[in-house]
Amino acid sequence: MPDSSISRFFEKSRKERLDIVASFASLSDEELDILQSDKGGISFDKADKMVENAIGTFSLPLGIATNFKINGKDYIIPMVIEEPSVIAAASKGAKTARIKGGFEVTADESYSIGQIQVLDVGTSAIQQINNSSNEILQLANSKSNTLSKMGKGAKEISCKEIDTPSGKMLIVELLIDVGDAMGANITNTMCEAISPLIEKITDGRTLLRILSNYSTRRIVKAKAVFEKEAVGGEKVVDNIILAFEFADNDVYRAVTHNKGIMNGTISVANATGQDSRAIEAAANAYAAKSGKYRSLSKWSKDDDGNLVGTLEIPLSVGIVGGIANVHPVAKVCTKILGVSSAQELACVMTATGLAQNYSAIRALATEGIQKGHMRLHARNLAAAAGAIPEQIDEIVQKMIEEKKISLDRAKELLEQI
Ligand code: MEV
């Protein structure tokens, strides 16, 4: 099994990095070409079919986080993000977690929830729907032979009443096992297909028929133990727990703390072509599930004083259908991850969020985040000035000592070497 703890990956040339990735993930020459093409992954023709009024495409940096061990398996993780430090932070968090075995993650099966709003119904509507649930499920399942053949598809119908300024409303919810798909399309199709039958059964009027992005039947739970010494000792462990308590009890801090988690999770979502808006909307609702917006992760220590982090989020992702099947770079990224199910991808994305959160709050509870940011920024400038790997450290060190971090200064220092 390949080892994801690749020493000094950041110092390697692009070609060396690509060679490592290609050998780790057994990429074909064609897949390697896709990563090297620098054309942003999709042609204008494809873009023009994906959205309206297209005028071009838009590309972002794609990097690799190293060191990840999740449920005993090594992963290198493609991340698409515009922000510096995030990929380094994820790799660093994963490196520390690895000492104690890495991340343990479980994911629910992929059940999507569709909602149908039913108005003007009588008091026996819920009973009527329950009595006809088999017929409704059968009609829903007639919309997907693929899911039905796999023993998946619509599984349950449930009803709830909500109070609104316009009076009570009946909400019918359809629970669908969508397998390895994100499932938005099939959920919406099934909801629309069953709504005339629901109207007939209840003698009511259906209005909205749509997937809920609050995917509480797709919960992912990640845990990692960070060895006390590697974290920086008892005091740092305690300070990280205090940092967590700040986030868990103050919404202004909680939003930023959870944003750090999303830095990790959404970068992998971007790389693999997921609907990042759905993921973030669900995660934020979940953070407020107690009635108060809190931290999505929890930090404590075990009997030996090691730091223990857990992260629980709803995560609706797919490896079949959607853009994941259309975007060539997303396809290669999914291959680099080596995930064989939507649940496995969800586990990787959650572990990345937890690693990211660890590194962010560790930095904040110790030296602050600017030092690391500036060092990385200086490295990028040194490389942009044309420095080769052996020259970078010296230029970075000088710029930091002089507190003059700029491309011009990097060029001057390079000339002096
Ligand atoms: C920056 O993108 C993310 C952080 O602000 C997260 C945090 O404060 O925990 C560093």
Side-chain angles (χ1 to χ4, degrees), residues 132 135-137 139 193-203:
S132 306
E135 192 189 347
I136 300 172
L137 290 174
L139 179 60
I194 63 173
S195 88
L197 180 57
I198 287 176
E199 287 187 341
K200 197 171 128 206
I201 293 167
T202 60
D203 206 17

Side-chain angles (χ1 to χ4, degrees), residues 83 253 256-257 259-260 263 360-361 364 369:
E83 187 177 329
R253 175 60 205 145
T256 320
H257 176 101
K259 188 269 183 184
N263 275 349
I361 53 173
L364 287 165
I369 57 160

Side-chain angles (χ1 to χ4, degrees), residues 168-210:
K168 284 199 188 306
M169 282 176 197
L170 172 64
I171 309 298
V172 177
E173 289 183 342
L174 185 62
L175 195 66
I176 308 158
D177 182 349
V178 293
D180 284 322
M182 189 267 192
N185 265 333
I186 189 60
T187 304
N188 294 338
T189 301
M190 287 185 176
C191 286
E192 291 191 7
I194 63 173
S195 88
L197 180 57
I198 287 176
E199 287 187 341
K200 197 171 128 206
I201 293 167
T202 60
D203 206 17
R205 174 170 72 97
T206 60
L207 194 58
L208 269 56
R209 299 145 299 161
I210 184 77

Side-chain angles (χ1 to χ4, degrees), residues 118-252:
V118 198
L119 307 165
D120 310 329
V121 293
T123 47
S124 49
I126 294 183
Q127 192 56 49
Q128 288 160 333
I129 288 174
N130 286 341
N131 290 345
S132 306
S133 61
N134 282 345
E135 192 189 347
I136 300 172
L137 290 174
Q138 235 171 35
L139 179 60
N141 283 323
S142 70
K143 296 289 146 192
S144 174
N145 284 338
T146 323
L147 287 180
S148 298
K149 270 190 207 141
M150 292 190 300
K152 300 188 181 299
K155 296 287 174 194
E156 251 177 72
I157 284 268
S158 61
C159 297
K160 67 184 182 194
E161 250 179 4
I162 58 167
D163 287 313
T164 78
S166 304
K168 284 199 188 306
M169 282 176 197
L170 172 64
I171 309 298
V172 177
E173 289 183 342
L174 185 62
L175 195 66
I176 308 158
D177 182 349
V178 293
D180 284 322
M182 189 267 192
N185 265 333
I186 189 60
T187 304
N188 294 338
T189 301
M190 287 185 176
C191 286
E192 291 191 7
I194 63 173
S195 88
L197 180 57
I198 287 176
E199 287 187 341
K200 197 171 128 206
I201 293 167
T202 60
D203 206 17
R205 174 170 72 97
T206 60
L207 194 58
L208 269 56
R209 299 145 299 161
I210 184 77
L211 156 90
S212 168
N213 285 122
Y214 193 28
S215 43
T216 54
R217 296 294 299 260
R218 298 170 103 162
I219 299 293
V220 192
K221 294 178 186 166
K223 178 181 173 192
V225 177
F226 297 81
E227 192 192 49
K228 179 173 68 180
E229 281 73 32
V231 171
E234 193 180 344
K235 185 87 194 141
V236 180
V237 169
D238 288 343
N239 283 342
I240 290 176
I241 295 168
L242 292 172
F244 151 65
E245 287 176 358
F246 176 12
D248 209 34
N249 291 284
D250 176 71
V251 63
Y252 284 85

